[in-house]
Structures are given as C-alpha cells and as structure tokens.
Amino acid sequence: MSKVERDEHSGTETTGHEWDGIKELDTPMPRWWLWSFYACIVWSIGYWIVMPAWPLVSDYTRGMLGYSSRALVTEELATVAAGRAEVTKALQETELADVKNNQELYQFAVSGGRSHYAVNCSQCHGSGAQGGPGFPNLNDDDWLWGGKVDEIYATIQYGIRSDHDETRTGEMPAFLKDEILEKGQVNDVTEYVLSLSQEGRDAEAVARGKEVFMNECASCHGENAKGGREFGAPNLTDAIWFYGGDKETVQKTIANGRQNVMPAWADRLDDTVIRQIALYVHSLGGGE
Amino acid sequence: MSNSPVEKIDVQAVNKKENRSLYVSRKKIHPKRAEGTFRRLKWIIMGITLAIYYVSPWIRWDRGPLAPDQAILIDLEHNRFYFFFIELWPQEVYYITGILILAALGLFMVTSLFGRAWCGYSCPQTVWTDLFIVVERAIEGDRNARLKLDKAPMSFSKLMKRVSKHTSWLIIGLLTGGAWIFYFADAPTLIQEVLTGEARSVAYSTIGVLTATTYVFGGLMREQVCTYMCPWPRIQGAMVDEHSLTVTYHTARGEPRGPHKKNDTWDGRGHCIDCNQCVAVCPMGIDIRDGAQLECISCALCIDACDAVMEKVGLPKGLISYDTHIGRVSKEPITKLDVPFIRPRTIAYAVLLTLVGSIMLYALLTRSALDVNVIRDRNPLFVQLSDGTIRNGYTVKILNKVHDVRRFQVTIDGLENAKAWNQSEGPQFEHIVVPVPGDTLSAIKLFIAAPRSELESGSMDITIIVKDLVSGLTEKQSTTFKGPK
Ligand code: SF4
Ligand code: SF4
C-alpha cells in the first residue's frame, strides 16, 4: 500500500480494491457533507452534557439542564388542573341536582364523567353502561338504590357491600341452602314472583307462593313486591331482571341468594370525579 | 443592409440547442417593450385583474347586524366563507371543490382553443412580472439602456437606480401581501390595526411572506418560475393539438430568411428579414421561429413586434400570428374562420363544464338554511325500561344557518305511540321543541321510546322530522329503531 495508484481517466486516487478489473475510486467526501458530519459530532457532545444521556447502573446522567420528561408531564398535568380549578370549584359548590341549570358546567361534568366512567366503571357495567347479569344497566329507569343524582353519587361514593363504613348493604338470603324454605316452597314462591309480570303461571302454586312471599320476602321487597330501596331490593313486578327473568334463574336466586359487590370509590377517586361520574350516569337517560 | 428600415438586434434565444446544457446558469433577459394590439390587450387585462385583486375586499355587503358586511370574506376563525349573497359553512367546502373543478375545466377548454392564453395574460405571475418590468423600464430605461447599465461599473447613479428599483419592487410586494390579508378579516378594521401595530402576528407574517415571494418571483426569478417551477406548462401539452390556436411563426412564408435591403425583390426568399425583433421582445427569452416551445406563454408580444416590422418593409402582417400547427406549415396560413373550434376535445370540455356547473347551481339553489343529521346510539343499541317499553337514543344535530334563534319541533314518523325526550324536557308524547341559537350547530340528545308491541321485528325504519315552528321549513332524516329480536 505504499504506492498510491491513480485512475488514469479521472485522476482520482483509488482505494486499491479491485473486483473483476474494476477499481474503486477514493473520491473525497463533499466538503459540505464533511462539515455537517463534524458539526453533528460537536452537537452530540454538547447534547451529552446538557441533556440526560448515559445510562448508569441504577441511575443515569442527568444533564446540566435537568430535563426530565416525567417532570414535564407532572408540570403539564398541574397546569391543566390549575386551568380547571375554577370549574372544578364550581362543580364542588353546586348542588348536584342544580348543575343542569348551568349548561357549561353540566357539559364539563358529563364529558369528564364519560371518560372517568370508561376508565373506572366500564369493566363491570360495560362500555355503554348497558350492564349484564348481576351488573345493573345504568341506562334504564330501574334503580336499586335510587336514581336521583344524589343517590347515584352516594352509591358511587360508598359502594354496595364494600369495606366503606357507610356502605349500603342488603341481603338476599339463600333460602334453600340455609334451609329457611323447602324445595317446593321455593318453586311456589318462584311461580308467584313470575306471575307478577307474566300471565299464565300455575295458579295453585302462585297462591301458595304468595303466602310464602308475604312471610319471607315482603319485609324487603314490599308487600306489593315493588321493591325497597333502603335494602336495594329490586322491584319484582317490572320488566327488568337483575340476574335474569327465566324460571331457572329466579329459582336459583331464591335458593342460593345473591350478594354482589360494588366498590366504594370515595377513597380511590377525587370527589370531583365522583360527582362527574354521577352526573354522567344520571344523563344516560334513566336518571330520576 | 444599411438601407434596411429595421435594425438587427443582437440577441440570442435562451433555449437554443447549441447553448443548452444541464448546468448552464441563467441568462438575464431584458425584454424590449413591444407596441401593438396584443400589448394593449395585456395592459387592459393587467388593469382589470389588479383592480379586482386590490378592490374586492373593500366591497361591502349588508347581511344584517349579526354577520360581517364584507362582500368577500374568508372567516377562518368562525369557519365561514362569505361571497356576496352566498354563505358557506365548513361542511359545504365541496362548493369550493366544485369551483376548483370548474376552473380546471375552464382552463383545459381555453388551452385547447387558444394555447397558453391564461399564462400570457391573466396568470398572477405574468401580471406581476409585467408590473415589475414597467417599474424597471421607468427607472432604468428600455432594453438597450438596461444592458448598458448591467455592464457599466458601479457608480453613484447606477447605485441610485438599483436602489430605487428594488425599493419600488419591495413596495409593490408589500402592497400585494398587504392586500391579501384583507380577504380574511374586516378590511377597514384590519388596515387600522395593521398600521397601528395592533394586528395579530399572523397578519404581519403573511404580509412578510407574500412581500418576499412577490419580490423574488416577480422581480428576480420571472420567467424561471414559468419554465422550471410551474407544473402547468408540462400539463398543457396534453390539451393542445394541431388545431389549437397558438402563437405561430409561419415557416413556409418566412423561410429562407435573411437581411433585406430596400427595393430588393422578395422573389426566391422568405419574408423574415432576420431582424430578431421578435426575440428581443419575448419575456421568456425564446425565438418563436424555432417552433412551438414549452417556454412560450402565448403572450403574443412577438406578433406585435413582427407586425410592426412587416409594416415597415411593406409586407402583409401576420408572419407571426395566432394560428394552428396546420397553418404553420402550410403555404397558405389558415384564416381565423377555418379554425375548427368545435372538435371532440372542446365538446367534451364544454359538456363537462355544463354538467359540473349545473350540478353546482342546482345544489346552490336547493340549499337549505337548515341542516339535520341524526346519529343513532350504538352502545347500547336499545334499552328496555321497567314497564317493558323499548327506548332508543339518538343524537340529533340541527344546523341553524339563519342569524336568529329558531325553535324547532322534532317529531317521529313510523312509530305508533312513541314518546320522545330531550335531556332538558321529560317524556313528551310524540314530539319535543328545541330552540337553536342563530348561526349555530346544536346537538341534542333525543330518546324515543315505544311499547314493545309496536315493534314489528328487531328493527324498524323511522323518520325524524325537524320543523321550524315559524317558517315551516322542514328537514327529514330516516333512521332505525331497534329492539330485541
Ligand atoms: S415567443 Fe412570443 S408569444 Fe411566446 S412568450 Fe415569447 S413573445 Fe410571448
Ligand atoms: S419573424 Fe419578424 S420580427 Fe422575427 S426576425 Fe423575422 S421579421 Fe424580424
């Protein structure tokens, strides 16, 4: 490699590499390219110094600017919260039932509630709040614990059979399993309950079942079976069934009881958020 | 040659084959001022187009107290476009698309009839370049004086000329950019704000950018924009054919060319005296005697120049004229009357123009001041209520294009015994009333409920009718009502 070879046509030095008689020219880099390259090197060294750059064993170099994307996010979130401070305060200070009278505040609450609902509630009640067996549909007009916005707010705050001190509790006993009723009586009372909303049930069984109902069930569901909201006892005369309205399901409910749980959100979510969710749920069309 | 009435100009076309190379740098063109019919036409069109551009935003149009009273206004802030009696909303931008299609078709049509007539007379690049050349000529003189000035060493008078030329150009650029912003805001208010330094920064940056582009394109780059930057010359080739009227040098009549002395006979030679007047006046710096060329913008200044020459040597005008390709090569140039203006190509463009134009006109005439959109809730598809009725949810968007508040009645057709809710009103039998503020889009949540017995199958077609309680204007939207199968 001592002797530099020159290409006779272009006068450019070759690299000495040759393939099938074709030699590689050692054409110099364009000047502008080279300078951009050096500038990038200088730039990157400066970047190491001022910005976070090198990973260490359990930490990283922080850089002179102390930049951190996490701090930036926290800061941004704080800015957003500060920007919302006024409207959040208004929401706190307004009676829930009156929020509707202030359209701007109401829109803020409902659209915020919609996204908080999607994050926290949709897992059980469904993305459209349509519920499912054992999880109430929040769109309809049937409410176990009351459908006024204040009542919904209380339900979300304290939950049902949750670990909160103010939780609401209602028991549906397991009438057969706990040997309160006989198998036949369970069948009778099932027939009676179904007869409240369906025609053509077994008349004799219904009559017997009614007696059982008056003794065992009326204390919670009411003598007219229209339910009792102080216990979260469903209305048995309407078209909506919490767990299902076919005979087998109703029988199962009576035999084994039902104890579903709704978590208390008071300790987990900001009060403003709970208010927003309550207003959103109320706005779904069934709110009272 | 000395007794020839026309002096030969020393000039060479920029695109001559012999001096064409990939990397050749630009040759500055100093077009000589032409005089004649087409130059006059260009002055007139220049005046009209510039007047339209500068005056338009200042025309007033009374639309009542709640709307701007500027005849042409692009109100980006409120998403409105005003054009005299027409007011467009963002969802109606298809009108703009329509206008662009019409403009394109119109351009195709004109091109197939008259070549690059748009480029030569009304393209902003041409108009402003012309204006810039007027200024240049006024300050530095015509072609010869400018050539001399270019060569002259820098002196105080040269510097003064250069400075005043560029300053004038920059002022024209500033006025151009300045006029543009008045299309986007109330002009009388905006001009005050701009002058007192209170206008928004976007106004100043727009003025800045447009000043710069006008100055650079019109003053410095000129024909380079038409030849190298504009896509249009490349597309036009598809629109002209051998029947299109373009600026044409009649080879059969002109060749062989050569200098001609007074009283010499014209026998055995062509009529072109090779004086190069046609090349000197060309703003694109080309020689039209080489045939049709990409660079030629059909401005016809070379026609004016050559006609003047022909007059001086006592020959009929029209050695260069608007003619077809067929006329160019034939011994007898075809007259304007022979030109087949009606050809399959022009018929096709005319039909398309009429078609698109009529569609737009129809859409514009049947356009309603009320727009209704119904979006059905999909999650959940329907809700069963405790009394067994089925409820469906809809979002009804009512677009009130009038400037006053209007009250609308929403009714349902196709569903017996239905009830309707709006969130602010409880269940109503069959209909609800919603007020919508002027010039606004209101989205209302509409719940419709019907007994299950009314549902024939899982899904029913229903119609939601929105009616203006005062004027009776009605809009119908069909949608479906769903229930359990
Ligand atoms: S050749 Fe004639 S028509 Fe074409 S650009 Fe030049 S002056 Fe205009
Ligand atoms: S075409 Fe006309 S203007 Fe051009 S060189 Fe010939 S005579 Fe002169």
Side-chain angles (χ1 to χ4, degrees):
Chain A
M1 285 296 290
S2 57
K3 184 173 135 260
V4 181
E5 197 187 342
R6 281 188 183 276
D7 171 57
E8 63 181 89
H9 297 293
S10 60
T12 314
E13 289 176 17
T14 73
T15 59
H17 303 160
E18 182 178 336
W19 293 271
D20 295 341
I22 299 171
K23 289 188 184 135
E24 186 184 26
L25 296 189
D26 194 5
T27 313
M29 289 287 183
R31 192 65 57 83
W32 65 265
W33 191 96
L34 216 57
W35 282 111
S36 324
F37 180 60
Y38 293 145
C40 289
I41 294 175
V42 173
W43 171 267
S44 67
I45 293 172
Y47 199 90
W48 291 344
I49 299 169
V50 295
M51 298 296 276
W54 289 95
L56 305 176
V57 177
S58 57
D59 199 14
Y60 56 91
T61 57
R62 308 227 158 225
M64 272 162 55
L65 287 184
Y67 171 88
S68 137
S69 49
R70 179 174 293 265
L72 221 59
V73 170
T74 320
E75 204 176 294
E76 263 170 41
L77 286 177
T79 322
V80 171
R84 284 197 187 147
E86 205 171 310
V87 62
T88 328
K89 189 160 161 262
L91 190 58
Q92 281 296 334
E93 287 167 359
T94 314
E95 284 287 324
L96 279 176
D98 294 338
V99 173
K100 230 176 194 172
N101 303 331
N102 179 345
Q103 268 306 312
E104 219 167 291
L105 188 59
Y106 185 65
Q107 287 307 332
F108 166 76
V110 169
S111 43
R114 182 178 296 120
S115 43
H116 291 305
Y117 172 91
V119 174
N120 299 294
C121 319
S122 61
Q123 292 83 345
C124 292
H125 291 281
S127 57
Q130 73 276 32
F135 299 100
N137 183 341
L138 305 176
N139 294 283
D140 64 23
D141 58 345
D142 192 23
W143 297 93
L144 295 173
W145 301 93
K148 296 210 166 53
V149 64
D150 282 316
E151 293 165 334
I152 297 172
Y153 173 58
T155 307
I156 303 172
Q157 271 187 305
Y158 309 133
I160 312 296
R161 281 178 280 276
S162 73
D163 45 14
H164 195 277
D165 292 342
E166 303 205 31
T167 187
R168 281 96 176 282
T169 324
E171 280 285 316
M172 173 74 192
F175 284 95
L176 187 65
K177 214 161 83 186
D178 293 349
E179 296 174 355
I180 309 168
L181 295 176
E182 313 260 313
K183 217 175 181 147
Q185 288 176 305
V186 170
N187 181 58
D188 292 345
V189 87
T190 304
E191 282 295 320
Y192 171 68
V193 166
L194 289 174
S195 78
L196 295 171
S197 53
Q198 289 174 19
E199 312 217 328
R201 305 304 310 189
D202 176 351
E204 280 176 32
V206 167
R208 285 196 302 273
K210 181 168 184 174
E211 207 168 306
V212 180
F213 184 87
M214 289 306 167
N215 292 335
E216 303 292 344
C217 318
S219 52
C220 290
H221 288 283
E223 292 193 0
N224 52 10
K226 288 208 180 293
R229 284 182 172 174
E230 60 274 36
F231 312 112
N235 180 347
L236 304 177
T237 63
D238 65 14
I240 294 172
W241 293 94
F242 195 6
Y243 294 93
D246 57 306
K247 181 163 180 183
E248 203 187 327
T249 312
V250 175
Q251 222 162 7
K252 212 164 161 184
T253 305
I254 299 170
N256 302 332
R258 299 283 188 185
Q259 273 91 23
N260 271 34
V261 167
M262 153 108 174
W265 294 94
D267 307 329
R268 311 188 196 192
L269 295 180
D270 199 69
D271 187 54
T272 318
V273 172
I274 299 182
R275 285 170 163 262
Q276 286 181 308
I277 299 176
L279 284 159
Y280 167 66
V281 168
H282 188 262
S283 80
L284 290 173
E288 289 169 350
Chain B
M1 207 179 113
S2 55
N3 60 355
S4 163
V6 183
E7 132 209 41
K8 176 167 173 143
I9 298 183
D10 175 27
V11 58
Q12 202 174 37
V14 294
N15 63 352
K16 277 271 183 276
K17 221 196 292 153
E18 38 291 3
N19 55 25
R20 206 181 263 169
S21 140
L22 248 192
Y23 296 109
V24 76
S25 57
R26 180 192 177 201
K27 282 200 210 68
K28 203 159 180 197
I29 298 167
H30 283 302
K32 186 168 169 321
R33 164 88 64 106
E35 307 288 350
T37 323
F38 292 103
R39 181 63 260 188
R40 261 195 304 283
L41 183 64
K42 258 170 90 75
W43 288 136
I44 294 168
I45 294 177
M46 183 197 209
I48 295 173
T49 45
L50 286 176
I52 292 176
Y53 175 71
Y54 285 111
V55 172
S56 295
W58 301 89
I59 306 171
R60 303 281 97 188
W61 191 267
D62 188 15
R63 293 192 183 82
L66 291 163
D69 50 7
Q70 184 160 322
I72 303 173
L73 179 67
I74 303 163
D75 190 350
L76 290 178
E77 212 168 315
H78 303 102
N79 293 324
R80 295 285 183 281
F81 174 62
Y82 301 95
F83 188 84
F84 296 94
F85 60 95
I86 303 173
E87 180 184 337
L88 295 184
W89 286 55
Q91 53 273 64
E92 293 170 318
V93 279
Y94 56 83
Y95 285 113
I96 313 272
T97 317
I99 289 172
L100 290 177
I101 294 174
L102 282 182
L105 285 173
L107 214 48
F108 294 173
M109 176 117 171
V110 167
T111 308
S112 69
L113 290 174
F114 306 111
R116 274 174 92 177
W118 159 264
C119 304
Y121 298 92
S122 42
C123 173
Q125 171 65 21
T126 297
V127 170
W128 264 281
T129 302
D130 235 19
L131 188 62
F132 275 49
I133 295 178
V134 171
V135 172
E136 188 170 61
R137 188 173 192 267
I139 295 171
E140 298 182 347
D142 201 11
R143 180 181 153 84
N144 284 337
R146 291 192 307 239
L147 285 172
K148 236 165 81 199
L149 189 71
D150 271 3
K151 289 207 192 85
M154 185 50 78
S155 67
F156 179 72
S157 90
K158 179 170 174 172
L159 186 72
M160 279 321 292
K161 281 180 177 162
R162 284 282 140 95
V163 169
S164 46
K165 176 175 86 175
H166 287 279
T167 317
S168 314
W169 281 355
L170 277 168
I171 291 172
I172 296 175
L174 191 71
L175 293 177
T176 307
W180 180 249
I181 60 169
F182 296 126
Y183 286 89
F184 296 87
D186 185 60
T189 323
L190 186 60
I191 196 166
Q192 278 182 13
E193 289 175 355
V194 168
L195 293 179
T196 52
E198 285 160 10
R200 301 232 306 262
S201 58
V202 60
Y204 295 108
S205 54
T206 307
I207 296 178
V209 168
L210 289 176
T211 304
T213 48
T214 313
Y215 170 73
V216 172
F217 287 178
L220 307 180
M221 291 176 67
R222 296 185 182 173
E223 84 288 348
Q224 302 281 301
V225 175
C226 309
T227 310
Y228 299 108
M229 288 169 69
C230 179
W232 182 230
R234 278 132 237 272
I235 305 170
Q236 62 159 354
M239 273 135 231
V240 289
D241 53 25
E242 68 273 30
H243 299 302
S244 307
L245 278 180
T246 52
V247 174
T248 305
Y249 165 75
H250 294 100
T251 322
R253 174 181 158 193
E255 302 295 311
R257 66 181 86 147
H260 181 260
K261 287 200 197 92
K262 217 169 175 179
N263 304 327
D264 276 2
T265 163
W266 291 97
D267 293 340
R269 54 155 295 146
H271 286 176
C272 173
I273 60 165
D274 207 8
C275 61
N276 279 345
Q277 297 284 347
C278 51
V279 186
V281 296
C282 178
M284 306 301 290
I286 60 171
D287 184 345
I288 193 62
R289 292 173 298 168
D290 295 341
Q293 290 151 73
L294 163 91
E295 291 89 343
C296 174
I297 56 171
S298 267
C299 65
L301 294 180
C302 50
I303 300 183
D304 279 347
C306 188
D307 277 351
V309 173
M310 289 297 115
E311 212 169 328
K312 281 200 191 116
V313 297
L315 286 170
K317 290 180 179 182
L319 175 54
I320 305 178
S321 73
Y322 269 107
D323 205 338
T324 63
H325 176 73
I326 295 179
R328 168 182 144 84
V329 285
S330 65
K331 275 262 172 314
E332 281 298 307
I334 61 175
T335 68
K336 295 270 148 66
L337 293 174
D338 299 336
V339 178
F341 283 119
I342 300 169
R343 328 193 279 274
R345 176 188 289 269
T346 54
I347 294 172
Y349 291 140
V351 167
L352 281 174
L353 265 175
T354 328
L355 201 73
V356 177
S358 337
I359 293 175
M360 293 227 349
L361 200 64
Y362 175 79
L364 201 63
L365 292 178
T366 53
R367 187 168 166 264
S368 159
L370 166 66
D371 248 6
V372 175
N373 251 305
V374 173
I375 305 155
R376 209 182 163 283
D377 280 4
R378 293 182 186 280
N379 187 11
L381 273 179
F382 61 87
V383 173
Q384 178 180 300
L385 300 183
S386 51
D387 62 358
T389 51
I390 306 297
R391 193 191 73 202
N392 279 215
Y394 304 86
T395 304
V396 180
K397 292 188 174 175
I398 303 178
L399 195 62
N400 177 10
K401 293 187 203 162
V402 174
H403 297 296
D404 307 310
V405 63
R406 290 200 284 180
R407 282 161 59 76
F408 295 100
Q409 184 190 52
V410 182
T411 39
I412 305 127
D413 193 27
L415 197 62
E416 296 291 311
N417 296 318
K419 282 181 181 170
W421 288 260
N422 164 3
Q423 264 170 349
S424 54
E425 288 182 65
Q428 309 276 317
F429 185 67
E430 275 202 326
H431 79 263
I432 53 175
V433 172
V434 267
V436 179
D439 217 18
T440 319
L441 176 114
S442 264
I444 60 157
K445 183 84 201 185
L446 179 71
F447 289 119
I448 299 175
R452 200 165 166 175
S453 53
E454 299 295 344
L455 267 155
E456 286 143 9
S457 60
S459 169
M460 284 174 73
D461 292 326
I462 63 166
T463 310
I464 291 178
I465 304 162
V466 177
K467 183 175 157 193
D468 181 345
L469 281 176
V470 178
S471 72
L473 187 65
T474 305
E475 271 282 322
K476 293 180 183 182
Q477 282 287 318
S478 48
T479 179
T480 50
F481 186 88
K482 286 194 190 298
K485 290 256 155 56

